[in-house]
Amino acid sequence: MIVITGAGIVSAIGNNQTEVCQALLEGREGIRGVRFLATEHREYPVGEVQMSNAEIKQRLNASQLTVSRTTINGILALKEALNAASLTVNHLATTALISGTTVGSMDLTELSYVAGQDESAIGDCGKTTQDIASYFGDWGLVTTCSTACSSAANSILVGANLLRSGRFERVVVGGSECLSRFHFNGFRTLMILDKAPCRPFDADRAGLNLGEGAAFLVMETEASAHRRGVKPLAVLSGWGNACDAFHQTASSDEGEGAFRAMTKALERASLPPSDIDYINVHGTGTPNNDASECRALQRIFTNEMPPISSTKSMTGHTTSASGAIEAVICLLAIQNKFIPPTLHWQTPMPDGIIPVTKTIRNRRLRHVLCNSFGFGGNDTSLILSDYEHAKMIPQMADRRPVYVKTVVKYQDIAPETMPKIPPMVARRLSSLLKRALLTALVTLQRVGISSPDAIVTGTAMGCVHDTVCFLKEIKERREELLKPTHFMQSTHNTIGSLIAIYTHSHGYNNTFSHGRESLHSALLDAQLQIEMGESRNALVGLYDEQDETSLCIFLSGDNDGQSVVLDDAKICELCGDYCH
């Protein structure tokens, strides 16, 4: 059993668990006018952490730190989580830290960016996580998930599998994100920001309010918690990730990815839908997301819909950190026996679901479902259960062996064997995306599979050219007339989602962005998926623009008598010069 023994949170409605819980109980929102974000567009309300960088550093007694706001938000939340779980520096060497972020240190990058500078200076997601980790000491493993708005939720999933596999008996998982002009204007170019406080699941909803913050959970095996003498606060009883495989920024009408993610989470927890007592929906307030999520919920819960609410109406949409922030909110709801409200809701959606609009107190919650959906249809659902009511799910008895079927490098592919990408698709793709897609397609052809069970991607920097173009436009055009394509393709999981869309792969999809450790993390994650029987095979890729790397490795749980067994030594060999 995977138990939660500590948590920490910082958001627009509070800088620790106590403050956040009180705001939730009172139905108090944190969405206000812009205070700290240096944007030209102050007409859009946001959910900012109500402290300046200097004030956060003062709380940390670390005024000398010269790091991103994402980093200091993360340090503040992680410090609370470690203290709550009674973890000290002596525990870190045997503890894994998995964090989720997409923006990373973009707030610093956009301040210092000069057109024409070395593109390696634009920053990366992994450095943010490494800076958070280094504040506390040396960890057993540190890596970064970057799947847009499901990043932190996927870090929780990865942590759960590390525990189940026996590689660690304790992990710290979550995510951190700060507001930056880069992603603020990115969402603005997609025309999905609301100039009023957002109204999730309302017929008249007009978009989302961006937020920021961080949250982390300490998870460990039940045996580890008992040995340390710490009380389990709740249980992570279910989780599921699936890909909508539909569009880079829009969700399908039937919410296929959301439906599959929730179904997997229920199956993992061995729970029927009727056992769910509350759902913290993704609920961004955009017309597309809420309609798609509503349909997915109706497909699963039919006439037994539990209470639902979107706490983004209080915190704003904290993007990559939202999965962790909302998981902590669900933990607080279980511990304090309440259901938080959806603010500003007035009018039912046609054939929609009516959310909870006022805090419901004194409600015992046995099992809570928490949804986080990201760009590229990267959809993740988590189930948190009251410790007393969690079912004993047996741990995996034996690990399945994993085999390396083939390794393909783009530069080694004969031109005449290259698949043809339709011109209408190719014209929208950067050179990196074209190389990545072609390498993936050739790899799948060689193993005779059209659609992989899992797609796990490693990329240190993602589509650098698109990131640079968007930064340049923001600076030169003063946040006007920006191209949404550059923003869409700058998110690091664009690569994995493109391959999923093109191959109609609805299975597990994750992206790791942790510098030169990216491929190593991707291979380990794919190995875990197959070892524990969650996927039959996995397409693992490393794609980086600066050194023009496009590499695919196909892993399988089936042995043809000629395949090589994947182990730690083989992972290091495959990573080779790509690793540290």
Side-chain angles (χ1 to χ4, degrees):
M1 185 180 289
I2 296 172
V3 297
I4 297 167
T5 56
I9 185 170
V10 56
S11 73
I13 59 172
N15 301 320
N16 53 52
Q17 289 189 71
T18 301
E19 292 178 6
V20 169
C21 187
Q22 192 59 39
L24 293 167
L25 286 165
E26 296 174 3
R28 178 165 24 95
E29 70 179 301
I31 295 171
R32 306 173 176 88
V34 173
R35 182 180 173 191
F36 301 113
L37 179 64
T39 178
E40 301 286 336
H41 297 284
R42 308 183 76 82
E43 67 272 24
Y44 296 97
V46 293
E48 290 178 304
V49 172
Q50 290 301 298
M51 291 187 289
S52 67
N53 286 4
E55 289 171 323
I56 299 173
K57 291 177 185 179
Q58 187 176 20
R59 282 204 176 202
L60 296 170
N61 295 317
S63 58
Q64 77 284 358
L65 282 178
T66 55
V67 293
S68 166
R69 186 171 172 89
T70 297
T71 298
I72 54 178
N73 279 338
I75 291 172
L76 190 60
L78 182 51
K79 189 173 185 178
E80 183 187 16
L82 294 177
N83 288 338
S86 300
L87 288 183
T88 69
V89 66
N90 296 327
H91 294 103
L92 300 187
T94 55
T95 303
L97 173 64
I98 307 101
S99 184
T101 191
T102 298
V103 169
S105 57
M106 188 58 73
D107 59 322
L108 296 182
T109 300
E110 61 194 15
L111 288 175
S112 61
Y113 176 74
V114 177
Q117 73 182 75
D118 180 7
E119 292 181 353
S120 65
I122 67 170
D124 63 76
C125 297
K127 184 180 185 306
T128 305
T129 303
Q130 205 63 52
D131 286 343
I132 294 171
S134 298
Y135 178 88
F136 296 95
D138 295 325
W139 300 71
L141 171 70
V142 179
T143 194
T144 306
C145 292
S146 190
T147 55
C149 302
S150 58
S151 299
N154 282 332
S155 79
I156 295 172
L157 186 155
V158 172
N161 283 331
L162 285 171
L163 292 173
R164 288 181 64 228
S165 72
R167 285 172 171 82
F168 287 89
E169 61 177 15
R170 184 173 51 251
V171 298
V172 181
V173 292
S176 183
E177 200 85 290
C178 76
L179 283 169
S180 70
R181 288 191 301 157
F182 187 93
H183 81 304
F184 179 83
N185 280 285
F187 279 87
R188 196 175 65 82
T189 65
L190 298 175
M191 297 184 289
I192 54 175
L193 293 184
D194 196 342
K195 293 182 179 179
C198 65
R199 304 172 296 285
F201 279 70
D202 191 290
D204 299 319
R205 65 197 183 280
L208 58 86
N209 306 133
L210 275 179
E212 64 177 0
F216 286 93
L217 296 162
V218 177
M219 303 194 313
E220 52 192 310
T221 64
E222 188 178 28
S224 170
H226 288 332
R227 277 195 302 273
R228 295 199 309 112
V230 293
K231 179 184 177 182
L233 306 175
V235 174
L236 179 69
S237 56
W239 58 87
N241 168 276
C243 190
D244 208 25
F246 175 72
H247 189 270
Q248 287 290 3
T249 57
S251 302
S252 61
D253 291 343
E254 292 295 301
E256 187 63 26
F259 171 80
R260 289 173 181 250
M262 287 187 280
T263 299
K264 286 182 179 181
L266 288 165
E267 290 175 350
R268 164 65 56 199
S270 296
L271 294 175
S274 58
D275 275 2
I276 298 297
D277 297 316
Y278 163 61
I279 304 172
N280 187 294
V281 294
H282 187 57
T284 59
T286 63
N288 173 250
N289 173 88
D290 291 5
S292 177
E293 185 174 12
C294 180
R295 180 62 187 131
L297 288 165
Q298 289 168 334
R299 290 173 65 186
I300 291 174
F301 293 95
T302 58
N303 297 322
E304 299 179 286
M305 189 67 63
I308 74 161
S309 69
S310 172
T311 49
K312 289 181 176 67
S313 61
M314 286 184 266
T315 64
H317 186 3
T318 55
T319 56
S320 291
S322 62
I325 286 174
E326 288 156 26
V328 173
I329 287 173
C330 290
L331 174 65
L332 293 171
I334 291 171
Q335 289 181 292
N336 295 278
K337 300 180 175 61
F338 72 93
I339 295 176
T342 304
L343 302 185
H344 311 299
W345 184 93
Q346 290 184 323
T347 310
M349 296 164 51
D351 301 318
I353 303 169
I354 296 177
V356 171
T357 57
K358 293 185 179 180
T359 303
I360 299 175
R361 297 174 181 251
N362 301 315
R363 176 69 68 88
R364 183 67 180 266
L365 302 176
R366 301 165 303 158
H367 307 287
V368 171
L369 178 66
C370 184
N371 285 338
S372 296
F373 307 147
F375 279 176
N378 195 296
D379 298 336
T380 299
S381 297
L382 307 170
I383 296 176
L384 275 65
S385 298
D386 176 74
Y387 182 59
E388 294 181 9
H389 289 87
K391 294 185 177 181
M392 289 294 296
I393 308 298
Q395 296 294 308
M396 186 192 66
D398 298 302
R399 296 183 191 172
R400 297 176 58 190
V402 180
Y403 302 95
V404 180
K405 291 289 186 180
T406 190
V407 179
V408 176
K409 297 179 181 179
Y410 177 80
Q411 64 265 33
D412 295 337
I413 302 172
E416 63 272 15
T417 65
M418 285 281 189
K420 301 297 182 184
I421 301 176
M424 290 298 289
V425 175
R427 70 181 181 86
R428 297 192 298 269
L429 303 180
S430 67
S431 59
L432 174 63
L433 290 174
K434 289 176 185 175
R435 288 198 308 272
L437 180 57
L438 287 168
T439 308
L441 292 176
V442 168
T443 303
L444 293 174
Q445 284 179 356
R446 290 189 182 178
V447 296
I449 290 176
S450 60
S451 181
D453 270 15
I455 297 173
V456 188
T457 301
T459 179
M461 305 287 283
C463 296
V464 177
H465 175 73
D466 287 289
T467 303
V468 169
C469 284
F470 202 63
L471 273 170
K472 184 177 179 181
E473 288 179 358
I474 289 171
K475 190 149 192 170
E476 293 181 352
R477 300 179 184 178
R478 295 181 62 85
E479 302 181 54
E480 294 292 351
L481 302 174
L482 310 178
K483 296 178 181 178
T485 301
H486 290 316
F487 172 67
M488 289 161 52
Q489 295 189 169
S490 73
T491 54
H492 292 186
N493 69 311
T494 295
I495 304 168
S497 59
L498 169 68
I499 296 169
I501 292 167
Y502 204 85
T503 61
H504 307 289
S505 175
H506 290 289
Y508 180 78
N509 198 302
N510 204 355
T511 295
F512 291 86
S513 184
H514 199 80
R516 297 189 69 84
E517 298 284 349
S518 300
L519 178 58
H520 188 281
S521 296
L523 282 166
L524 174 59
D525 188 40
Q527 182 182 19
L528 291 172
Q529 286 290 311
I530 298 171
E531 271 187 356
M532 293 179 288
E534 297 190 3
S535 300
R536 294 169 300 176
N537 55 63
L539 178 71
V540 182
L542 176 68
Y543 313 103
D544 276 312
E545 193 167 277
Q546 289 177 298
D547 58 7
E548 298 188 345
T549 300
S550 288
L551 168 74
C552 276
I553 302 165
F554 193 84
L555 306 179
S556 176
D558 298 322
N559 184 17
D560 58 8
Q562 301 175 341
S563 304
V564 179
V565 175
L566 185 71
D567 54 20
D568 290 346
K570 187 62 180 177
I571 288 179
C572 290
E573 179 187 328
L574 290 169
C575 291
D577 295 336
Y578 305 115
C579 201
H580 62 82

